[in-house]
C-alpha cells in the first residue's frame, strides 16, 4: 500500500493506506483521532466535518489520497492549548450539547462559517446543514451568533 503524508492538527503524519480509503477511517482507525464521527458515510449528516486547508470538508467521502501534502484540522486541533476557540466557548455557554455525538462536526462547520461570514444570518447558519438528531438547532444557532459577537 502507498504512504500518504499530511499535517493533522499541526503534526506531520504518514499513513499506509489504499488511495481510496476515506480520510475518516485514516483519522479514526490509523491515527486514533476520534473527534470526527461516523454518521452516514455519504456526506449527508456531516458528523465528521473537519477542515482541509482551513475549509470545511467531510472526511467520510474524501479519499486519503486527496489529503496528501495538505493540512487537516479536527475538533482536537481547534483549541489553542488550554484556551478554547470562541465557538467552543459559546457551545458551553449556550448548553448546546444533548447527546453530543454531532457536536464536533457542528462546531467545525460553525468555525468554517464564521471564517467566511462575520455576522451570519439564520439562513447562513441553516446552510451548514449538519444534522443533530437531538434537535438542538435553536441552541446551535444561538451559540454561533454568540461566537460571532465575541469574534467581531
Amino acid at each position: 500500500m502507498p504512504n500518504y503524508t499530511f499535517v493533522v492538527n499541526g503534526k506531520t503524519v504518514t499513513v499506509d493506506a489504499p488511495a481510496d480509503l476515506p480520510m475518516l477511517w485514516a483519522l479514526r482507525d490509523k491515527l486514533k483521532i476520534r473527534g470526527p464521527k461516523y454518521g452516514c458515510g455519504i456526506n449527508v449528516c456531516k458528523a465528521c466535518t473537519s477542515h482541509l486547508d482551513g475549509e470545511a470538508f467531510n472526511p467520510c467521502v474524501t479519499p486519503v489520497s486527496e489529503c496528501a501534502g495538505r493540512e487537516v484540522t479536527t475538533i482536537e486541533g481547534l483549541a489553542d492549548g488550554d484556551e478554547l476557540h470562541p465557538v467552543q466557548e459559546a457551545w458551553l455557554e449556550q448548553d448546546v450539547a444533548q447527546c453530543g455525538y454531532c457536536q464536533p462536526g457542528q462546531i467545525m462547520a460553525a468555525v468554517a462559517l464564521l471564517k467566511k461570514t462575520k455576522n451570519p444570518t439564520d439562513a447562513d447558519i441553516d446552510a451548514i446543514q449538519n444534522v443533530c438528531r437531538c434537535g438542538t438547532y435553536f441552541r446551535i444557532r444561538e451559540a454561533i451568533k454568540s461566537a460571532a459577537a465575541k469574534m467581531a
Side-chain angles (χ1 to χ4, degrees):
M1 277 189 276
N3 287 325
Y4 297 97
T5 301
F6 43 91
V7 175
V8 178
N9 299 329
K11 296 180 182 176
T12 301
V13 298
T14 300
V15 296
D16 179 29
D20 63 347
L21 180 74
M23 186 62 173
L24 180 61
W25 302 122
L27 293 168
R28 291 184 59 80
D29 292 346
K30 297 199 174 274
L31 299 172
K32 307 302 181 201
I33 296 172
R34 305 295 186 183
K37 303 295 189 245
Y38 174 77
C40 67
I42 58 172
N43 197 25
V44 173
C45 76
K46 304 187 185 315
C48 63
T49 302
S50 299
H51 294 174
L52 183 62
D53 296 333
E55 301 281 328
F57 88 114
N58 296 99
C60 71
V61 294
T62 305
V64 67
S65 58
E66 286 186 25
C67 299
R70 299 176 75 183
E71 186 171 339
V72 175
T73 305
T74 67
I75 191 75
E76 289 88 348
L78 193 57
D80 184 10
D82 290 338
E83 186 175 329
L84 294 177
H85 186 280
V87 173
Q88 291 172 304
E89 289 177 354
W91 239 250
L92 293 172
E93 290 165 3
Q94 296 296 324
D95 197 26
V96 173
Q98 193 161 321
C99 83
Y101 192 82
C102 69
Q103 298 311 299
Q106 296 276 4
I107 290 169
M108 296 304 285
V111 169
L113 171 66
L114 292 175
K115 282 183 181 178
K116 292 180 180 179
T117 308
K118 301 299 180 202
N119 189 20
T121 64
D122 287 348
D124 294 327
I125 295 168
D126 292 345
I128 62 176
Q129 297 183 332
N130 287 55
V131 175
C132 174
R133 289 178 178 95
C134 297
T136 64
Y137 296 110
F138 177 78
R139 293 190 308 237
I140 290 167
R141 179 172 301 171
E142 293 304 305
I144 292 171
K145 289 179 177 181
S146 175
K150 286 181 184 185
M151 296 169 70

